Amino acid sequence: MKDQSIGFVGAGRMASALARGFVKSGLVTEAAICASDPSAEARQKFSDNLPEATVVEDNGLLLQQSAIVFLAVKPQSLPHVMGGMQAEIEGDTLFVSIVAGVKLSTLSAGLGTDRIVRVMPNTPCLVGLSASGYCAGAGANENDRQRVAQLLESVGIAIPVPEGLLDAVTGLSGSGPAFVYIIIEALSDGGVRMGLPREAATRLAAQTVKGAAEMVLNTGEHPAALKDQVTSPGGTTEAGVRALEQA
């Protein structure tokens, strides 16, 4: 049914990750997902991950069958995409933009509607651990906000923020996984340098980061306080922290 269907304009990695996360959570079925993309390769990859989803080249077909439409294209492609869709947009369509850096006012002017929610998610949505910030346009009602929050919370956490802070969310949690992967890689490299097998070192490093993050989330304590609990005076952790601070 259309009122349960979700469309993705753009079938790239982020769209695929979100779609798979929504399906994995049980909130929607694969058959309720539709994606459009001019790239045959992107459409094929999306289909490979979600075989029961509908994949089309024409955005008009997607609009006809989607109650919620995620805009998941590159910022430079967005004006062309919105211009091609505007005449076919129906008044009951809720748009969700995950396009970085594009303001609600720009989206509203390009789409001809202000029933829009602007979102900055991140790729860990695929494993149910996304961190998203979102803000709603003037035409999005409370049900719209709740529905988008429900979708985002099915794949992680979702925090409403004023639009002026979404760029900060982009830099922090949108780009943040890449920064954390560098930390995990560095920890793993250190373990290998000291003789650990690569697989063991990477698993230990990743679990350490995951466990430390859960401590912050579950205890509510400041990261500095948790750091102090691990750092005994004159111990190995103290030496490592000192080296990090010096570098």
Side-chain angles (χ1 to χ4, degrees):
M1 295 176 62
K2 181 174 178 178
D3 61 355
Q4 298 295 323
S5 59
I6 298 175
F8 291 88
V9 177
R13 292 178 182 175
M14 198 66 219
S16 180
L18 281 171
R20 284 183 286 168
F22 296 159
V23 170
K24 187 176 180 180
S25 74
L27 204 56
V28 297
T29 64
E30 274 192 39
I33 299 288
C34 180
S36 62
D37 202 291
S39 166
E41 181 182 2
R43 295 196 302 271
Q44 185 58 55
K45 286 182 179 179
F46 196 95
S47 289
D48 290 343
N49 288 314
L50 293 159
E52 295 179 25
T54 301
V55 182
V56 296
E57 186 176 358
D58 183 4
N59 292 334
L61 294 174
L62 178 139
L63 289 169
Q64 291 174 16
Q65 57 185 288
S66 303
I68 302 176
V69 174
F70 279 75
L71 300 174
V73 299
K74 296 184 185 301
Q76 60 268 30
S77 302
L78 187 61
H80 172 73
V81 168
M82 292 193 298
M85 292 195 308
Q86 191 172 110
E88 301 184 69
I89 292 172
E90 298 179 2
D92 60 348
T93 303
L94 170 62
F95 286 91
V96 181
S97 172
I98 64 170
V99 184
V102 180
K103 294 182 178 181
L104 286 167
S105 58
T106 302
L107 293 164
S108 179
L111 294 169
T113 176
D114 57 1
R115 193 181 178 197
I116 306 165
V117 178
R118 185 180 164 197
V119 176
M120 189 64 237
N122 63 9
T123 53
C125 63
L126 184 57
V127 292
L129 292 172
S130 182
S132 301
Y134 69 95
C135 65
N141 58 39
E142 184 59 30
N143 287 337
D144 294 336
R145 288 189 286 271
Q146 289 180 5
R147 178 58 172 163
V148 172
Q150 181 187 38
L151 286 168
L152 297 175
E153 288 169 357
S154 77
V155 292
I157 66 168
I159 298 175
V161 297
E163 185 176 21
L165 294 179
L166 270 184
D167 287 344
V169 173
T170 300
L172 174 58
S173 54
S175 301
F179 310 149
V180 176
Y181 297 145
I182 291 172
I183 295 170
I184 293 172
E185 182 183 30
L187 288 170
S188 177
D189 287 347
V192 171
R193 194 175 300 120
M194 297 304 294
L196 284 168
R198 172 63 71 182
E199 181 181 359
T202 300
R203 289 190 67 193
L204 287 167
Q207 184 68 20
T208 296
V209 170
K210 180 180 180 180
E214 287 292 342
M215 288 285 287
V216 173
L217 292 170
N218 291 337
T219 66
E221 292 195 51
H222 194 283
L226 292 170
K227 179 192 70 176
D228 289 344
Q229 292 173 20
V230 185
T231 310
S232 303
T236 57
T237 304
E238 191 274 335
V241 170
R242 187 170 66 252
L244 287 171
E245 290 173 344
Q246 290 172 347

